[in-house]
Amino acid sequence: MAAVAEISNEAAVANKKLDSKPESEFTMQNLVDMFTKLNPLAKEFVPSYYSQALDHHHQHQRLLHFQQNGSFLISDFPAAEKYFPDNNFANNRRRRNSFNQGRRRFSGRSFRAQREDSVRRTVYVSDIDQHVTEEQLATLFSTCGQVLDCRICGDPHSVLRFAFVEFADEYGARAALNLGGTMLGYYPVRVLPSKTAILPVNPNYLPRSEDEREMCTRTIYCTNIDKKVSQAEVKNFFETACGEVTRLRLLGDHVHSTRIAFVEFARAESAIVALNCSGMVLGSQPIRVSPSKTPVRPRVTRPPMN
């Protein structure tokens, strides 16, 4: 409280001088002289919530700045935003947050726009013969335009299959509608505008070499597998119906009610026969079988910890 007492004494002296001198002789210089004697680092002038945070370097900088300029540094009050929420700093932060939210909204709109564009460039093909490959289907539709992706899927409710074909532009998709009724294998295919886009495959899972591409020709992708069915039962099912199984990967989680499997056969002919298993009941569920776009890679065994 020494600083407060000092300014009080100075004020009392000034008042006496003011009473004894004409008003014109008491100028602003008297006030400047009084305030320059104050210590800006005195306890009375430092907020209690900030007193612990000031180190000696900051104190020196504040004192030097005050002596040279007669004002405090703005950085001396870092908690200003907390106590004055309407200041420019808070407004700038709100503007940045609004910008980030706008950017997220823009990203969402951009994603939906891309997805809708992909749907317009995709057709749905049904009644596909079990022996028709994705390459053959893509070759048929390449007469309409550039084919970006072709995905054949098994149908558990039919011996025939369905597919999605995505083109580079909408013109190819519209031209593909004219191919409805074309004989492909033993059945005429049906072609309709698609209501969904093709879900892209993670590039890390795609074949990386000629050997892995050859492995894909011997591999099928099976979905809608009853969770009560074991891996040994899945293997026995396909070996009995199709041929020798060399590798099998059964996958599942706690979210989905069924599981999936990648089954690799010793011969490509066995994989073709396995496509006819769509709709067959394994456990209590009709399974769905499709050609696999990814090989079943051997599991990497980690060296034992020493």
Side-chain angles (χ1 to χ4, degrees), residues 93-275:
R93 189 175 68 174
R94 280 194 292 270
R95 280 195 291 270
R96 286 197 300 270
N97 291 341
S98 298
F99 172 76
N100 291 335
Q101 292 173 0
R103 183 166 54 185
R104 286 194 293 269
R105 287 195 295 268
F106 176 78
S107 299
R109 288 196 297 268
S110 177
F111 174 78
R112 286 193 295 271
Q114 291 178 357
R115 185 174 178 277
E116 291 170 0
D117 175 66
S118 179
V119 171
R120 287 192 296 268
R121 292 184 286 103
T122 304
V123 295
Y124 170 76
V125 186
S126 62
D127 295 352
I128 301 173
D129 192 315
Q130 291 283 358
H131 296 87
V132 173
T133 64
E134 288 183 340
E135 289 76 14
Q136 291 173 325
L137 188 64
T139 299
L140 171 66
F141 284 98
S142 63
T143 59
C144 304
Q146 181 185 358
V147 175
L148 296 183
D149 200 354
C150 178
R151 198 75 56 85
I152 294 182
C153 308
D155 189 345
H157 305 293
S158 172
V159 295
L160 301 177
R161 294 176 294 160
F162 62 93
F164 297 92
V165 180
E166 181 181 349
F167 293 87
D169 52 50
E170 294 182 43
Y171 302 104
R174 285 198 290 266
L177 299 177
N178 297 322
L179 294 183
T182 302
M183 291 294 297
L184 189 60
Y186 296 103
Y187 299 92
V189 295
R190 297 177 58 201
V191 185
L192 298 170
S194 178
K195 295 181 180 180
T196 60
I198 298 178
L199 186 67
V201 178
N202 189 329
N204 294 327
Y205 299 147
L206 294 176
R208 302 171 184 169
S209 62
E210 284 297 329
D211 289 342
E212 289 195 342
R213 275 187 279 275
E214 189 276 332
M215 289 166 60
C216 284
T217 64
R218 296 184 284 106
T219 305
I220 55 99
Y221 172 62
C222 183
T223 63
N224 206 44
I225 300 174
D226 190 337
K227 276 197 169 184
K228 297 179 181 179
V229 175
S230 66
Q231 181 165 315
E233 290 174 322
V234 174
K235 181 178 181 181
N236 182 66
F237 172 85
F238 282 107
E239 282 194 328
T240 302
C242 311
E244 181 186 354
V245 173
T246 54
R247 193 175 288 126
L248 187 148
R249 190 72 48 79
L250 184 62
L251 306 171
D253 54 36
H254 298 291
V255 178
H256 299 86
S257 59
T258 58
R259 294 196 286 180
I260 64 172
F262 293 89
V263 184
E264 179 190 297
F265 294 93
R267 299 182 305 119
E269 292 78 9
S270 298
I272 296 175
V273 173
L275 299 177

